[in-house]
Amino acid sequence: MAEVKSEEKKVSRFSRWNNVLKMLAFFARNKKSFDALMKLEKMTVLLVRVNMELGKLSYKDPVYARRVEEFNFAMIQLTMAKYYAKRADSTGSGEDWNRSFQAFETSRETGLKLLEVLQSGSSEAIKYEKPALSSAGTEILFADEIPLVPEINPVVILRGSDYDMGYQYATQVIQIFGRWIFERKAGRKFTEEELGHIGEWEKQIRQYAPEILEMCRGWAAGATAAGVPMSYDDVLEIWTGHKPPETNYMGQGKDLMELPPLACSGSAAWGRATKDSRLVTGSSGDYDPTYSVTIVAYPDTGNSYVFSPFSAVGDVPLLGAVYMFGHPGMNSKGLAYVHHGGVPRMIEPKEHWGYGLRRSVSILHTLRFANNAREARDMELTYPVGDIGIDSGTAGGFYADSTYGYVLESRQDPVLIREAGVMGETDFLYANNSAIHPEAIKAGWMQYNRNDWEWDEHGGWRTKRFVPMNKWGSVEQKLPGIMSLVYNGSCNRNRYFYDTMSKGLGRMDFEYMKMMYRNGGTIPEGKWEEIAARYLKTGEWGQVSTGNAMNGLLCVMQPENGPTGRYAVCLGSAKRGLAPTSSRLGSFNPIYGETNAFWEITLAAGPAETARSGRDKAVEYLGRADTEFAKLGQEDAAYAPLKALLDMAREELQKGEQSMGTAGKALGNESLFEYSRALRAYTRSQVRSLQVYQALVPPPAKPEDLR
């Protein structure tokens, strides 16, 4: 027995050193990419710290507007650094690497100076050379040649056959962003092996959701007609990827294991939990906001729906390919897709893994053809288990309607359907990035260290003690630390949902859901370097909230059975300066042009009616803003910057009116495109007006503010 243990130790040491050598070889091959990632981590942490200081000020402070402009300059430089690094990583261009590192340095210098003057209370202006901003014939801004992520999430309206909707989608995305957005996905050369894998994914879509394939054909045609030749395979691969299904947890057979997302959240309340018994939901996509749109679709068959994918082209910074995944979504029958319901779950046994539906395909098919949450549940149970080994790879999520909700955490052996009450809820449900059903312990990966796990009655599964990340060990040695970070963080955010929603029992509504994302957490006292180091060793942190510095896209919904469902979106955090949930890179998402405001539309009877719903809100919000702004004097520090925002709101409202007029005279796709342009202008007007109104009348940020 002693000889066996000695031999096992030798094998373990060999495995450890083999992993070390592989990682060193990887870093040597990708040194500049690794350097850029390290710079990105430092910069995002720095700029979130700056933003937390900015959040302590308001437009009443004479320096606030200037500090926001300086912060936005630092964000532009960071955006440029990321853009050049991504391009250099694929082309090997030394010039682009130089540009990237120079932009990182400029951003760093600005960020450090900003942190200094904010913490000291200095009114000293920071000198910088403002980059030239232009639209370049699109609906977004470019800093020199670099496209900036829109400050306000754009909307596209689709209508007609599946082919027509794909064509319209591609056309409008190019109208908004420019041809560059599809060019990197066009004309790709796939190997025979890769085409074989795409074909296997295609077979699954053809069997369970064939409408997606027709949308892909229309998308390819629309992009090609707009000047970006795309093939059907180019587009289909965006939805499926070109690799086989994973055979190990989180791709653990690879040299390196990627850390899954640490955030994303969703909640739903109905019946006894809400003020009027109607369903209301709140969701956060916690990722680095990228070039994305919200889709309003009126298909010839099935239900109309709204859905917010995380990316217009199916990939997200750091996370990589997400196969058009996103959340949330709702349909015209009152069904809501709230959230993915906790990933990585990886509960179904490996013998069920394989080709199936990527989550985005399952969501769009379910929203279109299920009329309530029970139908959605039954439909999801018919889908193949699919690619369990990666995030976004498989079906199963969080759906709700006005009488019932569920989170499907495992679909075979065991079937785990979490319903209200399992965690002590009264007509409400919530989810973050973990499986929290009591039976989730049956997951194969949890057997590596089964005795280290415990179940919290309101937060779900977490480890009994903090398990530090193991960067050098075997897969079995790495997995506990990685999943400990993910599940412990999710447990804390689950408890936040339970506590905050319980406080609002019987009075939750649209504004309560927004409030939960303004009610931020805290970080420990002390110097940043010290608390960050302590977190990596012990997991110690402050209070945790689902409203945090990681929020990339927030949405509040109130689906209705009929043309009155409400859908509201905020890009980035709902309040400036919210704290991160940890010291890890995945907890930081500073953005350019932060607005902290939700636009709102109605999923009405058709494109014209939906556009008018945007107009009605724009007029309402502008009226509120005008009333409060009239109380200011020209000598007030807030007067000039808020007047500039009001002027923008009026200008966007006028653009919307012009497009509405054109839409009424046009035919076919041209009419549809004008209704979409009008809706985008109206939502931009809404946000600018709300920025003014909320600066003067701060919105609720705590449960007691809504009593």
Side-chain angles (χ1 to χ4, degrees), residues 383-596:
Y383 300 147
V385 168
D387 197 0
I388 295 296
I390 58 172
D391 294 327
S392 310
T394 183
F398 179 176
Y399 288 82
D401 61 27
S402 60
T403 64
Y404 172 72
Y406 74 90
V407 181
L408 189 48
E409 295 189 358
S410 178
R411 290 181 294 121
Q412 281 195 52
D413 301 334
V415 174
L416 300 181
I417 301 173
R418 181 160 57 85
E419 299 171 327
V422 171
M423 311 300 291
E425 318 95 326
T426 302
D427 290 354
F428 66 87
L429 279 170
Y430 49 84
N432 283 281
N433 277 52
S434 63
I436 63 178
H437 192 286
E439 298 295 311
I441 190 66
K442 294 179 180 179
W445 62 268
M446 295 183 84
Q447 308 315 305
Y448 289 133
N449 60 330
R450 182 187 177 105
N451 293 331
D452 291 338
W453 291 91
E454 62 182 0
W455 189 72
D456 181 289
E457 62 177 340
H458 302 311
W461 290 100
R462 68 185 309 157
T463 50
K464 296 176 183 177
R465 59 182 180 82
F466 182 75
V467 182
M469 286 274 292
N470 186 328
K471 298 180 180 179
W472 308 104
S474 66
V475 167
E476 289 77 9
Q477 291 169 323
K478 289 178 181 178
L479 197 59
I482 290 174
M483 300 305 278
S484 174
L485 280 175
V486 175
Y487 271 56
N488 290 356
S490 290
C491 182
N492 291 332
R493 287 180 290 127
N494 286 329
R495 288 201 63 93
Y496 168 79
F497 265 145
Y498 178 83
D499 293 341
T500 311
M501 296 178 81
S502 294
K503 288 178 182 177
L505 209 60
R507 58 191 182 90
M508 280 186 276
D509 59 9
F510 216 68
E511 294 308 314
Y512 200 93
M513 285 293 175
K514 291 180 184 177
M515 176 278 299
M516 287 203 293
Y517 286 100
R518 298 189 190 104
N519 184 21
T522 63
I523 64 173
E525 294 290 332
K527 294 182 178 179
W528 177 263
E529 293 75 12
E530 295 172 355
I531 64 174
R534 190 162 61 245
Y535 173 78
L536 292 177
K537 290 182 179 180
T538 67
E540 180 185 340
W541 201 248
Q543 294 178 333
V544 170
S545 168
T546 54
N548 55 66
M550 182 66 173
N551 296 156
L553 184 140
L554 302 173
C555 183
V556 173
M557 302 186 293
Q558 190 155 50
E560 298 285 355
N561 188 355
T564 55
R566 300 169 68 188
Y567 196 89
V569 167
C570 172
L571 195 74
S573 299
K575 185 179 180 182
R576 185 179 285 276
L578 295 181
T581 56
S582 79
S583 64
R584 299 287 303 178
L585 170 62
S587 297
F588 300 83
N589 274 330
I591 67 171
Y592 165 79
E594 184 176 335
T595 68
N596 315 119

Side-chain angles (χ1 to χ4, degrees), residues 239-257:
W239 292 83
T240 65
H242 56 264
K243 298 178 181 179
E246 291 291 349
T247 57
N248 285 296
Y249 300 113
M250 289 161 42
Q252 60 183 262
K254 300 175 183 177
D255 291 346
L256 295 173
M257 184 185 296

Side-chain angles (χ1 to χ4, degrees), residues 305-342:
Y305 60 85
V306 189
F307 178 62
S308 293
F310 291 167
S311 165
V313 291
D315 56 36
V316 172
L318 293 182
L319 296 181
V322 295
Y323 317 112
M324 294 301 292
F325 173 61
H327 59 68
M330 70 180 194
N331 71 17
S332 52
K333 293 297 176 62
L335 173 65
Y337 171 71
V338 183
H339 181 255
H340 50 64

Side-chain angles (χ1 to χ4, degrees), residues 58-65 629 632-646 692 695-696:
S58 73
Y59 278 103
K60 296 177 182 179
D61 295 288
V63 299
Y64 179 70
F629 182 77
L632 291 178
Q634 293 190 23
E635 70 282 358
D636 289 318
Y639 185 89
L642 294 186
K643 182 179 184 303
L645 288 170
L646 265 183
V692 175
L696 300 172

